[in-house]
Amino acid sequence: MIFATVALVMLLVAAVAVALPLFRQSGLAEDDAAAGQAAVYRDQLLEIERERRDGLLSEQQYEASRAEIGRRLLAVDDSSSKAGGPGGNQSFMRWGAIAAIVVLMIGGGLVYPLVGKPGASDQPLAARMNADEPDLAVLVARVEQHLAEHPDDGRGWDVIAPIYLRENRFEDAQDAYANAIRVSGPTAERLAGLGEAIVAVNAGVVTDEALDVFRQAEAIDPDELRTLYFIALAAEQSGDFAVAVERFERLQAALPANSPWRDMVASRIAQNNQQLADNGVVANGPDEEAVAAAAELSTQARADMIDGMVSGLEQRLDENPDDIDGWMRLIRSYAVLGQQDKAALALAEAIGYYGEGSEVAARLTAFGDSLQVSGVEP
């Protein structure tokens, strides 16, 4: 019963602390405010008297101003007289609040011994660790204790890393994934988890460190969904909207038909396309579906189709090479068809036009990296 007694005393102290201010005369502050307003209005009456005497106000202006200030002064005096006194509305509300607090406190004290367990023993973590049906916190503590004793247990790190991530313990998740990779080696899933934890630690920003991790994951499994998403997000955050569209489209194609991510990915594609449109970039040339369909044709048929699809785009780029989206479509067309040499040559021509070291050249280089295409000297 010691706990119940202490709890009851704490309740009474809290009740007094909450109720005590209610006993004070809250009307005093309102009276002070009203008095201040009344003083201002009286000063204004004196001021317009001086202005009339000095000829700054006509008799009509004086009477109108005096009447308005007098009306405001009467309103202040009236509201002050109606402010809640001991028998007023505010007094009723104050005593009602006090009564409610007393009833709740006393009621809680009387009900607890009936429905609570004042005699229950403490349940420290050390005791709960051996419970037959432990909660999540206990399970995590068990794994943490095990890993402290066996830091080279890769299975343990694999178990606890995603739990840390779900529990928003991002730095712990980053350390756990790093340890899992250290002990058991890199996999696409572990690398994607590590990258996601790094992004979470940095408040949703895909840093260069995280992007490097995701590219390692992509090299192992190009269809790892989190990897596809975060690489696309990195392009979007860096302003490479064309690359972001291409990457989000790849993610969209890889998602299951009933995936809850589909609406979000479609929204991202639309937003990045809108960014391209706002920047004056117009999509020209063959779309990715047409190029992918061409890859299924025979060699001769594919060559004929490529000529038909790409020649117009090449001609437009010859006439107007200042079209970064056109260059990207041309590069992607060759990459999808497996013609890496032509893709690399087109990338080099585009970078050469915009100049090495320029912002656009950096975007093109990033785009080429996303397709595993490196520019060569034209």
Side-chain angles (χ1 to χ4, degrees):
M1 294 296 294
I2 296 178
F3 171 77
T5 303
V6 173
L8 182 59
V9 172
M10 292 176 65
L11 283 173
L12 291 175
V13 172
V16 172
V18 172
L20 187 60
L22 298 176
F23 286 98
R24 299 172 182 168
Q25 293 294 326
S26 62
L28 293 177
E30 295 180 2
D31 290 344
D32 290 343
Q37 291 178 351
V40 170
Y41 293 144
R42 292 191 182 98
D43 287 342
Q44 289 178 349
L45 287 174
L46 294 175
E47 181 67 22
I48 64 172
E49 287 284 354
R50 286 193 296 271
E51 290 180 352
R52 185 184 67 164
R53 187 172 57 251
D54 295 339
L56 300 176
L57 291 177
S58 66
E59 191 66 25
Q60 184 178 3
Q61 290 173 328
Y62 166 74
E63 291 296 337
S65 299
R66 186 171 184 277
E68 175 60 22
I69 295 172
R71 183 190 65 78
R72 294 180 182 179
L73 183 59
L74 288 174
V76 169
D77 291 339
D78 184 59
S79 64
S80 177
S81 65
K82 291 181 180 179
N89 185 51
Q90 290 186 351
S91 177
F92 173 78
M93 295 176 63
R94 183 165 60 251
W95 283 103
I98 293 171
I101 292 172
V102 172
V103 169
L104 287 173
M105 295 300 178
I106 295 176
L110 294 175
V111 170
Y112 176 74
L114 301 177
V115 300
K117 294 181 179 180
S121 60
D122 293 338
Q123 293 291 318
L125 180 61
R128 288 185 287 138
M129 289 283 281
N130 298 319
D132 294 332
E133 297 181 2
D135 55 25
L136 180 61
V138 172
L139 291 174
V140 170
R142 286 180 180 177
V143 177
E144 288 175 335
Q145 185 180 51
H146 171 77
L147 289 171
E149 299 170 357
H150 304 88
D152 291 332
D153 182 0
R155 173 62 178 164
W157 293 116
D158 280 335
V159 168
I160 203 168
I163 295 176
Y164 282 151
L165 203 55
R166 287 196 297 270
E167 294 294 309
N168 297 329
R169 296 173 59 178
F170 302 130
E171 291 183 355
D172 290 333
Q174 182 178 347
D175 292 339
Y177 276 115
N179 278 308
I181 293 170
R182 172 184 61 82
V183 175
S184 303
T187 65
E189 183 177 357
R190 291 184 188 121
L191 288 166
L194 175 60
E196 184 176 359
I198 295 172
V199 171
V201 168
N202 290 277
V205 176
V206 185
T207 62
D208 291 340
E209 179 187 7
L211 184 57
D212 180 64
V213 172
F214 287 124
R215 293 209 182 280
Q216 294 177 48
E218 183 183 40
I220 297 173
D221 181 4
D223 295 325
E224 211 287 328
L225 296 180
R226 283 182 297 176
T227 297
L228 289 171
Y229 170 75
F230 282 109
I231 292 179
L233 183 61
E236 177 183 298
Q237 290 177 351
S238 64
D240 294 332
F241 303 118
V243 177
V245 169
E246 189 271 336
R247 281 289 182 167
F248 279 122
E249 286 176 346
R250 284 182 56 184
L251 173 59
Q252 189 178 52
L255 287 173
N258 60 346
S259 172
W261 283 25
R262 296 192 71 85
D263 289 343
M264 181 275 293
V265 173
S267 175
R268 291 282 191 180
I269 293 172
Q271 290 173 18
N272 282 281
N273 275 322
Q274 185 61 50
Q275 288 285 353
L276 290 172
D278 292 343
N279 292 335
V281 177
V282 180
N284 294 312
D287 60 29
E288 189 170 2
E289 291 183 2
V291 175
E296 302 298 325
L297 300 176
S298 65
T299 302
Q300 184 59 47
R302 184 168 66 244
D304 293 341
M305 188 173 182
I306 290 172
D307 289 339
M309 291 190 304
V310 177
S311 60
L313 178 56
E314 290 177 333
Q315 183 177 356
R316 283 193 294 271
L317 289 172
D318 287 339
E319 297 172 354
N320 179 27
D322 190 12
D323 180 3
I324 184 172
D325 188 59
W327 284 112
M328 288 180 174
R329 284 188 171 273
L330 182 62
I331 295 164
R332 182 169 55 193
S333 298
Y334 285 132
V336 170
L337 292 171
Q339 300 183 15
Q340 296 296 108
D341 292 343
K342 290 186 176 181
L345 183 60
L347 176 60
E349 289 177 353
I351 292 175
Y353 172 77
Y354 289 106
E356 290 282 354
S358 67
E359 181 181 349
V360 176
R363 288 182 58 188
L364 286 166
T365 301
F367 178 72
D369 290 342
S370 72
L371 298 176
Q372 297 182 343
V373 173
S374 298
V376 296
E377 290 297 328

